[in-house]
Amino acid sequence: MIRFKNVNKIYPPNVVGIRNVSLHIKPGEFVSIVGQSGQGKSTLAKMLFCEERPTSGEVIIGGWDITRIREHDVPLLRRQIGVVFQDFKLLPQKTVFENVAFALEVAGEPIKRIRQVVPQVLRIVNLGEKIDRYPHQLSGGEQQRVVIARSLVHRPKILVADEPTGNLDSVNTHEIMELLKKINEFGTTVVLVTHNRDVVNTLHKRVITLEGGQVVADVERGKYRL
Amino acid sequence: MFVSILRITKFAGQNFWRNFWLSLITISMLVLTLLTINVLLVLNLVTDKAIEYVEQRIEVSVYFNAGVEQEKVTNTAGYLRDLPQVRDVETITAAEAYDRFQVRHAGDTAILTSLEEIGDNPFGPTLVVKAFSANDFPFILSALDNPQFRDAIRDKDFSSYEEVISRIRYTTDRIRLFGLGLSVIFLLIAMLIVFNTVRMGIFTHREEIGIMKLVGASNWFVRAPFLLEVIGYSLLSTVIMAALMYPTIAFMETRFDSYFDGQATHLLQYFEMNGWMIFGAQFLAVALISMIATGFAMRKYLKV
Ligand SMILES: Nc1ncnc2c1ncn2[C@@H]1O[C@H](COP(=O)(O)OP(=O)(O)OP(=O)(O)O)[C@@H](O)[C@H]1O
Ligand SMILES: [Mg+2]
């Protein structure tokens, strides 16, 4: 599903993003990527949806070689990958429904399908009732759930979540984690970037630790350890 | 596909309304640019008309000696009529010339009494020759130097309109050059404004654009609204220009026509007949150049 081979990312002029990373994530896995600030977690995550490209090495995502992908294939790749990002927000002037529908609209999906899919994914994130609210009428946790719902509209094979609980309290964090687990149980591969020790420790899933852009630990059923 | 075009149109409309004042400035500038171009166009038409008007009035008067045989005059007139350069020959008989002189000096008793004192008609017949073009007169004049006619002719008088024409040309050429320079400057400013409007549009929509890209909108879906937006600006400014143009032309035409002795300039008719082509071409040109400016703005600010 996801395969990194000796991947390096150097930001010009010479800032190391990640260094010599090789890893393999199988379909259906739930992987946490941990590490202190500036160690390359987001860099790695961005490569999964082609936001950044490796300086050298090979990144294969679901059959696509990111190093050699053609410009007009990038949108197709992105439709197979859900992205929940630290600073990837909702549009304030759109309702919950419209925010989620937006992801389908811009991909050219017909209205009929939008009317069908949007309530569906909003039910998955337990926001079926609040479909007509605006983002400012929602709590932080609810907003993040809308973002997750939006990332699910294309039924992605991979969900990349970079600090999805960064700004949330423990109750909301717990809700989001339960949601991610549920999505993973439906068969979606989840890659979670996080700082949160408790989150990682209660997951009992694979943990990849980054330091200085390198993988320093990759443990099945791991713990947050720095 | 159809639904995508609809959505792109919607996004383009949003760009337009969210930066309404910028849109307004952009359209105003495009209208201003089109205005200079259309003023040039009208100037061209009016200049052509003015030169034609003057040229039609150029004539050579050929004065025959008094008492020349009528046959000689008729022959000369016939010869001139056969020349391809000659548009019209009018014959004024000696008696008519006498009458005209009297009429022209009706108030001047001194001249009239001296005319009566002469007793005889001192005037010979006159031919008034009109050519198709002012350039043909030297040839016509030299043709009359032919000995066959020369002896019967007392005098030839060529009213020198050439100077008038060259003065019209000189003035309008300078205005045209100035107008052309102004158009180019306005066009450059318009392009800068279009560039900036698109830049601001990208800036105000950066969140949407970021989301669009991450959820897999194709590149053309991200770009098309901006292109469509400037096509809309071009269309709107051309329509505004045309809407301003017709009443202005209609008004100007009445002025010009009285200036040219009621001879119709057909300005409005010209615009009515060629309006689709004139404004269509202007729309296409403005749209094309705006789209190039948009392309630059997108290349610089819209990384996809
Ligand atoms: N676009 C960029 N241009 C230049 N340098 C960058 C860029 N993005 C990241 N970096 C640098 O690459 C390194 C890794 O950054 P990255 O964002 O991957 O860290 P991170 O592990 O996600 O940190 P955090 O936990 O704070 O989000 C850092 O030194 C950062 O300064
Ligand atoms: Mg980060």
Side-chain angles (χ1 to χ4, degrees):
Chain A
M1 173 100 324
I2 300 170
R3 191 184 287 280
F4 279 55
K5 255 189 236 164
N6 306 322
V7 177
N8 288 290
K9 175 71 192 183
I10 313 288
Y11 290 107
N14 54 6
V15 181
V16 175
I18 57 174
R19 179 184 296 161
N20 202 26
V21 169
S22 294
L23 52 85
H24 180 210
I25 298 172
K26 292 188 283 296
E29 265 195 288
F30 193 128
V31 181
S32 303
I33 297 183
V34 301
Q36 281 178 336
S37 189
Q39 304 304 309
K41 304 184 298 295
S42 296
T43 303
L44 195 153
K46 281 177 185 165
M47 280 183 192
L48 297 177
F49 50 93
C50 211
E51 173 86 354
E52 295 289 354
R53 308 216 182 179
T55 311
S56 67
E58 200 177 58
V59 179
I60 311 253
I61 314 284
W64 263 295
D65 181 350
I66 298 294
T67 15
R68 273 184 275 274
I69 192 168
R70 278 178 305 177
E71 212 42 69
H72 70 265
D73 281 338
V74 173
L76 300 180
L77 168 75
R78 286 183 180 159
R79 283 175 209 177
Q80 305 203 2
I81 298 171
V83 181
V84 179
F85 225 63
Q86 233 167 341
D87 51 356
F88 176 24
K89 298 191 200 73
L90 297 171
L91 297 169
Q93 76 280 12
K94 285 187 191 290
T95 63
V96 167
F97 181 94
E98 289 165 348
N99 263 288
V100 177
F102 187 68
L104 289 162
E105 279 178 8
V106 301
E109 296 288 349
I111 293 163
K112 222 179 105 198
R113 197 173 143 67
I114 293 176
R115 294 226 176 94
Q116 177 197 342
V117 171
V118 175
Q120 220 172 340
V121 293
L122 282 170
R123 270 198 299 278
I124 294 175
V125 302
N126 230 335
L127 281 174
E129 314 288 285
K130 304 190 170 167
I131 209 159
D132 289 322
R133 299 241 192 136
Y134 285 89
H136 67 89
Q137 298 169 322
L138 299 175
S139 73
E142 286 169 332
Q143 287 184 21
Q144 197 61 292
R145 269 146 62 197
V146 178
V147 173
I148 292 172
R150 183 177 59 194
S151 74
L152 295 178
V153 289
H154 293 305
R155 306 183 178 291
K157 298 196 181 70
I158 302 169
L159 182 71
V160 182
D162 191 344
E163 314 255 19
T165 59
N167 305 317
L168 303 179
D169 60 24
S170 58
V171 177
N172 278 310
T173 299
H174 180 72
E175 267 181 33
I176 297 290
M177 290 317 298
E178 287 306 312
L179 183 57
L180 291 181
K181 277 198 257 178
K182 190 161 99 182
I183 291 163
N184 178 239
E185 278 157 20
F186 288 157
T188 301
T189 309
V190 176
V191 178
L192 168 71
V193 173
T194 186
H195 264 126
N196 193 314
R197 176 183 298 266
D198 296 337
V199 161
V200 178
N201 289 346
T202 52
L203 265 172
H204 303 297
K205 302 274 189 189
R206 182 177 171 191
V207 177
I208 295 172
T209 310
L210 287 182
E211 207 178 301
Q214 283 177 298
V215 177
V216 292
D218 185 349
V219 188
E220 223 40 70
R221 301 189 169 279
K223 296 260 182 197
Y224 190 95
R225 197 179 3 226
L226 284 171
Chain B
M1 189 66 194
F2 176 70
V3 74
S4 292
I5 290 169
L6 219 64
R7 283 172 194 154
I8 285 167
T9 314
K10 197 180 97 189
F11 291 146
Q14 282 176 357
N15 287 357
F16 184 94
W17 287 112
R18 281 203 206 150
N19 288 320
F20 179 73
W21 292 105
L22 268 183
S23 307
L24 206 65
I25 290 167
T26 311
I27 290 171
S28 310
M29 194 59 220
L30 288 176
V31 170
L32 207 59
T33 309
L34 285 174
L35 184 68
T36 55
I37 290 168
N38 282 302
V39 166
L40 277 182
L41 188 67
V42 171
L43 181 75
N44 257 350
L45 291 173
V46 173
T47 308
D48 286 352
K49 213 68 210 178
I51 287 171
E52 193 186 312
Y53 173 81
V54 172
E55 279 186 342
Q56 273 173 11
R57 263 147 202 79
I58 301 176
E59 52 191 35
V60 173
S61 298
V62 181
Y63 303 102
F64 287 88
N65 297 321
V68 74
E69 305 117 61
Q70 185 55 39
E71 197 195 340
K72 192 106 191 165
V73 179
T74 321
N75 281 348
T76 314
Y79 169 77
L80 285 172
R81 268 194 200 99
D82 286 343
L83 292 176
Q85 291 88 346
V86 171
R87 189 152 57 92
D88 186 33
V89 179
E90 189 195 352
T91 312
I92 298 169
T93 61
E96 278 168 348
Y98 187 86
D99 292 344
R100 281 188 188 194
F101 188 85
Q102 269 189 322
V103 170
R104 205 178 316 141
H105 299 280
D108 199 334
T109 37
I111 287 182
L112 289 183
T113 38
S114 57
L115 183 64
E116 257 164 49
E117 269 162 23
I118 295 170
D120 251 0
N121 181 357
F123 298 105
T126 308
L127 291 180
V128 178
V129 185
K130 287 181 176 147
F132 284 105
S133 153
N135 300 330
D136 293 331
F137 281 109
F139 173 82
I140 295 170
L141 289 175
S142 67
L144 289 173
D145 282 339
N146 189 320
Q148 189 187 346
F149 310 115
R150 195 174 49 204
D151 299 336
I153 293 172
R154 180 168 56 86
D155 195 10
K156 293 175 298 214
D157 134 32
F158 175 40
S159 46
S160 168
Y161 285 95
E162 248 174 304
E163 205 184 314
V164 179
I165 290 175
S166 73
R167 212 158 48 221
I168 294 174
R169 285 234 163 89
Y170 178 76
T171 316
T172 52
D173 279 353
R174 305 202 108 194
I175 296 173
R176 204 172 306 175
L177 203 67
F178 176 73
L180 213 64
L182 208 62
S183 305
V184 169
I185 290 168
F186 279 10
L187 201 66
L188 286 176
I189 295 173
M191 290 313 107
L192 275 176
I193 287 177
V194 168
F195 178 89
N196 187 53
T197 303
V198 173
R199 190 181 70 97
M200 291 303 289
I202 292 170
F203 188 70
T204 36
H205 289 81
R206 66 198 179 287
E207 290 201 330
E208 266 120 319
I209 291 168
I211 291 167
M212 276 165 121
K213 284 194 237 163
L214 283 183
V215 298
S218 55
N219 289 348
W220 75 272
F221 198 97
V222 177
R223 295 193 148 135
F226 294 104
L227 289 170
L228 199 64
E229 189 190 348
V230 298
I231 291 174
Y233 291 148
S234 311
L235 188 64
L236 219 66
S237 42
T238 314
V239 167
I240 292 172
M241 188 66 243
L244 290 176
M245 201 69 183
Y246 281 98
T248 313
I249 292 287
F251 172 75
M252 269 170 36
E253 181 160 275
T254 56
R255 290 305 189 78
F256 278 131
D257 286 357
S258 64
Y259 184 74
F260 290 133
D261 289 347
Q263 189 186 334
T265 42
H266 298 303
L267 270 181
L268 190 63
Q269 194 190 346
Y270 179 84
F271 270 89
E272 269 165 2
M273 267 168 43
N274 302 297
W276 281 109
M277 227 200 53
I278 293 170
F279 291 111
Q282 288 179 12
F283 162 67
L284 284 181
V286 169
L288 190 76
I289 295 171
S290 302
M291 280 164 81
I292 291 171
T294 307
F296 277 120
M298 290 195 301
R299 226 162 92 186
K300 199 157 156 55
Y301 300 104
L302 193 66
K303 303 275 186 298
V304 268

